[in-house]
Amino acid sequence: MQQKDILLKFVQGRKSNGTSWVDQRNKGWHHNSTDAVCTWDGITCNASNNIYAINLKGTNYTGTIPPEIGSLDHLNHLYLSGNNIYGAIPDSILSHKKLTHFDASENKVRGETPIFQSPKIQVVNLSRNQLTGKIPDNIGDTGGKKSSSLLVFDLKYNRVSGTIPKSFGDISTNLMELDLSNNKLFGKIPKSLGKLLKMQGIFLSNNKLHGPIPSQLLHSDMEQ
């Protein structure tokens, strides 16, 4: 499937919502468009004209994430925040091996907390969605076991419940920000989070956590 045909799955999947997001685009995003895909609004390509980034932030897109997007082999950045996206994140996105940045915050994404398998993943932002259920016990496998790439993991303002898995301590040796605030988490804060030596900010407020803050987290340069 050509890159153009893959991108147009966004158009096929949209719903009417006043002035549709595609009608607001100045370039591309139409079946009859003669513009090169790499010049379309929100599209960035690498030197070989392979799609490198898709940025559809705040475009009023209403629909699901087309699974075909996962077949863009060179895709690194996928920014979909501030839209009306619903449904689950396709497996083809979660299993993409080159994805570095995924931001679908401020949507209506449902399902359980996903695990991204890309060994290059740096940013996962799913804040302000409708995720439910427990955080998987193997959340530490995000980015592949013993990942060192992940820097930011943001799940604030969802409906996630259960305890904070101990495996969060293994999620990335370079994790700098973890935000699980404003959910339905309960239980104690695992001591394993103290293994995240490069952590600069950990946010757990507005949950139902109890017990002491592990001493490993109480170093002066961390924001809480």
Side-chain angles (χ1 to χ4, degrees):
M1 186 178 291
Q2 298 293 318
Q3 292 187 129
K4 176 180 178 179
D5 296 327
I6 292 173
L7 290 180
L8 288 175
K9 292 295 181 179
F10 274 111
V11 180
Q12 296 170 9
R14 84 184 198 279
K15 289 186 176 181
S16 299
N17 186 13
T19 302
S20 70
W21 74 276
V22 72
D23 294 330
Q24 299 175 45
R25 303 301 92 202
N26 295 320
K27 203 166 192 179
W29 297 104
H30 291 275
H31 289 276
N32 58 357
S33 175
T34 58
D35 298 315
V37 167
C38 294
T39 68
W40 287 17
D41 283 357
I43 300 300
T44 303
C45 293
N46 60 21
S48 301
N49 292 321
N50 296 306
I51 294 175
Y52 173 85
I54 299 175
N55 186 350
L56 298 180
K57 291 181 180 179
T59 54
N60 200 33
Y61 173 71
T62 299
T64 58
I65 302 174
E68 292 83 359
I69 299 301
S71 64
L72 295 170
D73 293 336
H74 298 271
L75 185 66
N76 280 200
H77 297 70
L78 184 54
Y79 300 116
L80 304 171
S81 62
N83 287 295
N84 297 297
I85 294 172
Y86 53 84
I89 301 170
D91 289 341
S92 61
I93 301 295
L94 299 179
S95 62
H96 198 291
K97 296 302 182 183
K98 293 186 178 180
L99 198 64
T100 62
H101 292 68
F102 181 84
D103 186 350
S105 57
E106 299 183 59
N107 280 287
K108 299 176 183 177
V109 175
R110 294 176 178 268
E112 296 189 348
T113 304
I115 296 177
F116 288 80
Q117 298 175 23
S118 170
K120 299 182 179 181
I121 195 74
Q122 296 179 18
V123 175
V124 174
N125 189 347
L126 282 163
S127 61
R128 300 178 187 275
N129 276 285
Q130 298 177 5
L131 297 176
T132 56
K134 297 181 179 180
I135 298 175
D137 288 337
N138 61 334
I139 192 66
D141 291 345
T142 297
K145 292 183 178 180
K146 297 183 179 179
S147 168
S148 61
S149 61
L150 190 66
L151 303 176
V152 176
F153 192 90
D154 192 342
L155 282 182
K156 65 176 175 285
Y157 286 101
N158 276 279
R159 302 171 185 172
V160 176
S161 59
T163 58
I164 301 175
K166 295 179 180 179
S167 64
F168 256 123
D170 299 318
I171 198 169
S172 172
T173 56
N174 290 315
L175 190 67
M176 299 175 68
E177 181 176 322
L178 174 64
D179 197 337
L180 304 177
S181 64
N182 294 280
N183 279 285
K184 298 181 179 180
L185 298 169
F186 55 83
K188 295 183 178 181
I189 302 173
K191 294 180 180 179
S192 60
L193 294 184
K195 296 164 58 177
L196 303 172
L197 299 179
K198 295 187 178 180
M199 183 72 74
Q200 295 181 5
I202 180 167
F203 306 95
L204 304 173
S205 61
N206 293 319
N207 282 289
K208 297 180 180 179
L209 302 171
H210 64 84
I213 298 175
S215 58
Q216 296 92 332
L217 298 177
L218 297 176
H219 52 80
S220 59
D221 57 344
M222 183 185 297
E223 185 178 357
Q224 300 180 35

